Amino acid sequence: GQSLEQPSEVTAVEGAIVQINCTYQTSGFYGLSWYQQHDGGAPTFLSYNALDGLEETGRFSSFLSRSDSYGYLLLQELQMKDSASYFCAVLSGGYNKLIFGAGTRLAVHP
Amino acid sequence: NAGVTQTPKFQVLKTGQSMTLQCAQDMNHNSMYWYRQDPGMGLRLIYYSASEGTTDKGEVPNGYNVSRLNKREFSLRLESAAPSQTSVYFCASSFRDSSYEQYFGPGTRLTVT
């Protein structure tokens, strides 16, 4: 089967750094994506890792370790507007479609 | 560009009623998807259309049908709604099949009583 695990909730303060972890188990693996979803809104694409290592896009970075079946999203210089749910998703070779995790709700406090 | 649009935004149905959720995209994408999102769960794929003229089942297709009307439009039909279908439904599109980057519509919040 295929499964993804990520923490259900994370809290942090403005200006801090937070890391949201994702572990996955899939039959075949192409890459790991991250999506952001504000309450009442639509998911929006943040990043994608196909190879091991760190990808940086502004304040957000995403990391992948294929050997550990693990990745994380790193958010720096947190702002109140970063309060949202973050979903990891794997592109599985066996299923050939995105499989989403249950999401991590990030609450940023002043 | 409007991106991905969905209608209606909200809907309440009685058990056994039918309805069609509409989705359209103006990005000239080839692939389109229907997901449902339930509290505490991620997005689950209901049906998808890899390209115009093709449709296929996703993880949770039971109780649903789809039509890829043309390259722009992809509709989801509930023939006989059940309370278990109360959910938020998202349509998404991508330039190609099996893409890691998908563009989502604003969602339809459906309640079945």
Side-chain angles (χ1 to χ4, degrees):
Chain A
Q2 301 174 97
S3 66
L4 294 93
E5 288 192 20
Q6 50 182 132
S8 58
E9 290 184 24
V10 173
T11 60
V13 295
E14 260 186 310
I17 299 172
V18 72
Q19 179 174 312
I20 299 173
N21 298 321
C22 175
T23 57
Y24 59 86
Q25 189 172 23
T26 65
S27 53
F29 176 81
Y30 287 148
L32 184 70
S33 293
W34 288 92
Y35 284 77
Q36 179 191 60
Q37 184 181 30
H38 287 98
D39 282 350
T44 56
F45 172 78
L46 288 177
S47 67
Y48 176 69
N49 295 68
L51 303 175
D52 286 359
L54 192 68
E55 295 278 345
E56 298 181 63
T57 310
R59 295 188 296 114
F60 293 4
S61 303
S62 56
F63 172 83
L64 176 65
S65 168
R66 295 171 69 109
S67 60
D68 295 322
S69 297
Y70 163 76
Y72 64 73
L73 180 69
L74 190 73
L75 296 83
Q76 303 182 74
E77 301 172 19
L78 281 172
Q79 302 175 10
M80 298 295 290
K81 67 179 182 179
D82 297 329
S83 293
S85 292
Y86 293 84
F87 296 87
C88 59
V90 295
L91 193 58
S92 162
Y95 182 53
N96 213 31
K97 294 291 171 283
L98 277 180
I99 304 292
F100 285 83
T104 298
R105 190 174 183 86
L106 170 65
V108 180
H109 298 289
Chain B
N1 284 351
V4 180
T5 57
Q6 291 183 236
T7 56
K9 287 188 169 49
F10 301 92
Q11 184 71 49
V12 179
L13 291 178
K14 290 187 177 0
T15 297
Q17 287 185 318
S18 63
M19 79 160 296
T20 300
L21 282 64
Q22 307 286 355
C23 173
Q25 53 90 10
D26 63 1
M27 296 175 283
N28 201 34
H29 284 171
N30 292 301
S31 302
M32 298 185 74
Y33 313 82
W34 275 105
Y35 293 90
R36 61 177 289 173
Q37 185 175 37
D38 301 297
M41 302 184 73
L43 295 142
R44 292 185 291 168
L45 185 64
I46 305 171
Y47 270 93
Y48 65 95
S49 171
S51 60
E52 186 178 357
T54 69
T55 61
D56 211 340
K57 296 178 181 178
E59 300 172 74
V60 289
N62 291 346
Y64 306 95
N65 283 300
V66 290
S67 295
R68 183 75 183 266
L69 304 169
N70 47 55
K71 189 171 185 178
R72 291 187 61 249
E73 298 172 288
F74 189 39
S75 63
L76 178 72
R77 182 158 179 85
L78 288 71
E79 290 292 351
S80 179
S84 61
Q85 294 178 304
T86 293
S87 189
V88 180
Y89 291 86
F90 288 99
C91 177
S93 69
S94 62
F95 182 69
R96 57 176 179 82
D97 185 26
S98 305
S99 174
Y100 55 83
E101 183 175 0
Q102 297 181 8
Y103 293 79
F104 285 80
T108 295
R109 281 145 186 83
L110 176 67
T111 301
V112 183
T113 61

